[in-house]
């Protein structure tokens, strides 16, 4: 018997833009990199490493004389590197705070922000767990320690204690939870812990039936699925609701389309924060990611591009 499944897919038509290049003269700092050549290191939130690696590989293939070396770290340490001028580029999930930007300006710098993509902060559970709808209100209850057992959210559940795992205690996911879910208050639940990387969160949840993991959605996509509608088969992705009581009808997963139409409630902007007075290779790589080629890579990764004309179409998929 044939079954028809209707999926909504985000398409992207990108408009070409012109990108400037800059001088290759040696600076007082000793740097010799240009907009499209040389060697630099830059900082990136580890949670975005899958998309950063894809962008890096294509960039270096396009510009044969360029080498960009990512330093994967957490958001807090990455920002400290940028403010201390240990790097000229940071890829992360927040803009400069006013006092951070002013500090750089006061020291004669010219900090700039480039928006790159929109990401859904995803909640993942063990593949055997069928309690897969949750409200933002209940997420906040878990973070505050008001809900410590699965039965506190799903009456009758026998899964026991909830263990909620972040990728890193100083990551952008933790900061988002505190700023956007808890309204600026700290996480106080004893059931909340942190691994070291996003990959460790996925592995832990895949082996732990009572766990919830919080990671960036670019870690989830099955690379064999060009529609970005399926996820890692070892885990289940929760649907999240803006309403106080989550149901399948009012809850959404971090698909590109639900990020695009703002149905999914946990959306972050990914930024390139640049502080490069030379306007050399850090600028070149940041602008490459926001270029038509870079935005297509973001689209294929499962994230939502910032730039380009978005086209929505229905696709009818038939299966036996």
């Amino acid at each position: 018997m044939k079954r028809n499944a209707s999926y909504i897919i985000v398409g992207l038509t990108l408009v070409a833009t012109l990108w400037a290049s800059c001088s290759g003269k040696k600076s007082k700092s000793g740097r010799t990199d240009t907009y499209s050549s040389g060697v630099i290191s830059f900082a990136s939130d580890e949670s975005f490493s899958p998309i950063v690696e894809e962008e890096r590989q294509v960039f270096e293939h396009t510009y044969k004389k360029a080498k960009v070396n990512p330093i994967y770290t957490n958001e807090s340490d990455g920002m400290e590197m940028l403010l201390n001028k240990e790097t000229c580029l940071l890829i992360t999930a927040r803009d400069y705070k006013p006092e951070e930007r002013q500090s750089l300006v006061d020291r004669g710098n010219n900090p700039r922000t480039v928006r790159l993509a929109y990401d859904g902060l995803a909640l993942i559970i063990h593949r055997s767990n069928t309690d897969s709808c949750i409200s933002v209100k209940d997420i906040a209850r878990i973070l505050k320690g008001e809900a410590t057992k699965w039965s506190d959210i799903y009456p009758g559940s026998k899964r026991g204690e909830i263990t909620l795992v972040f990728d890193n205690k100083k990551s952008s996911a933790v900061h988002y939870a505190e700023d956007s879910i808890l309204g600026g208050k700290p996480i106080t639940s004893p059931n909340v812990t942190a691994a070291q990387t996003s990959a460790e969160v996925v592995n832990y949840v895949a082996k732990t039936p009572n766990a919830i993991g919080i990671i960036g959605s670019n870690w989830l996509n099955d690379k064999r699925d060009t529609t970005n509608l399926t996820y890692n088969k070892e885990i289940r992705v929760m649907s999240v609701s803006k309403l106080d009581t989550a149901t399948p009808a009012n809850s959404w997963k971090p698909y590109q389309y639900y990020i695009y139409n703002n149905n999914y409630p946990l959306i972050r902007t990914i930024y390139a924060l640049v502080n490069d007075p030379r306007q050399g290779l850090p600028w070149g790589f940041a602008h490459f990611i926001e270029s038509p080629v870079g935005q297509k890579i973001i689209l294929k990764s499962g994230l939502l591009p910032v730039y380009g004309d978005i086209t929505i179409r229905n696709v009818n998929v038939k299966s036996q």
Side-chain angles (χ1 to χ4, degrees), residues 3-312:
R3 293 183 297 152
N4 294 334
S6 181
Y7 296 103
I8 297 175
I9 306 205
V10 178
L12 180 67
T13 304
L14 290 160
V15 181
T17 55
L18 297 176
W19 307 103
S21 61
C22 70
S23 170
K25 295 180 181 179
K26 189 171 183 178
S27 69
K28 293 181 180 179
S29 66
R31 284 175 52 189
T32 58
D33 60 282
T34 73
Y35 195 85
S36 58
S37 68
V39 180
I40 61 155
S41 295
F42 68 96
S44 172
D45 189 307
E46 180 275 334
S47 64
F48 303 127
S49 59
I51 183 61
V52 169
E53 281 300 308
E54 292 185 51
E55 296 282 2
R56 180 190 64 79
Q57 290 171 13
V58 177
F59 179 78
E60 292 180 353
H61 179 77
T62 304
Y63 300 101
K64 306 294 186 182
K65 296 182 179 181
K67 180 70 174 177
V68 289
N69 299 313
I71 301 171
Y72 293 118
T73 183
N74 59 71
E75 183 179 85
S76 296
D77 290 348
M79 180 59 73
E80 186 174 348
M81 292 174 63
L82 187 66
L83 294 176
N84 291 337
K85 301 183 70 174
E86 297 170 14
T87 183
C88 295
L89 171 64
L90 170 64
I91 296 176
T92 191
R94 71 169 177 88
D95 200 350
Y96 294 100
K97 295 177 181 178
E99 61 271 22
E100 292 168 340
R101 187 184 297 274
Q102 191 60 49
S103 173
L104 289 170
V105 171
D106 291 344
R107 287 181 281 159
N109 296 286
N110 188 27
R112 289 289 181 265
T113 300
V114 181
R115 289 185 303 145
L116 303 177
Y118 301 109
D119 171 49
L121 194 63
L123 276 69
I124 60 174
I125 53 178
H126 191 268
R127 60 182 176 181
S128 68
N129 191 344
T130 57
D131 293 326
S132 58
C133 293
I134 193 168
S135 67
V136 175
K137 180 180 178 180
D138 282 335
I139 298 171
R141 291 175 62 213
I142 296 172
L143 294 170
K144 291 186 288 187
E146 296 174 358
T148 59
K149 300 179 180 179
W150 282 93
S151 58
D152 293 334
I153 299 175
Y154 305 96
S157 174
K158 301 186 184 301
R159 290 190 177 273
E161 295 283 328
I162 296 172
T163 300
L164 193 149
V165 187
F166 284 94
D167 51 346
N168 187 286
K169 63 182 180 180
K170 295 192 288 184
S171 72
S172 57
V174 170
H175 295 155
Y176 181 95
E178 293 178 334
D179 294 341
S180 300
I181 300 177
L182 296 180
K185 297 179 181 179
I187 297 168
T188 55
S189 172
N191 289 15
V192 175
T193 186
Q196 292 296 319
T197 66
S198 300
E200 289 181 18
V201 175
V202 175
N203 291 336
Y204 180 83
V205 172
K207 299 174 183 177
T208 312
N210 66 324
I212 299 176
I214 299 184
I215 57 175
S217 61
N218 70 129
W219 278 89
L220 301 177
N221 295 304
D222 184 336
K223 298 302 182 183
R224 297 166 298 178
D225 176 20
T226 59
T227 67
N228 289 324
L229 290 172
T230 62
Y231 295 107
N232 187 305
K233 299 299 189 299
E234 298 302 313
I235 50 91
R236 186 188 299 269
V237 181
M238 301 191 82
S239 298
V240 183
S241 176
K242 298 177 182 179
L243 302 181
D244 288 350
T245 302
T247 69
N250 65 26
S251 303
W252 312 93
K253 293 183 179 180
Y255 291 156
Q256 287 169 319
Y257 179 68
Y258 299 136
I259 295 173
Y260 171 75
N261 68 10
N262 207 37
N263 278 343
Y264 191 71
L266 308 178
I267 299 174
R268 306 181 294 176
T269 304
I270 302 175
Y271 298 95
L273 305 183
V274 190
N275 183 37
D276 181 17
R278 181 176 170 76
Q279 295 191 3
L281 196 53
W283 268 111
F285 185 53
H287 285 317
F288 172 80
I289 300 175
E290 70 164 348
S291 76
V293 173
Q295 292 289 284
K296 284 183 179 179
I297 295 170
I298 286 171
L299 176 71
K300 292 178 67 177
S301 77
L303 303 183
L304 186 69
V306 168
Y307 302 105
D309 296 329
I310 302 297
T311 301
I312 308 298

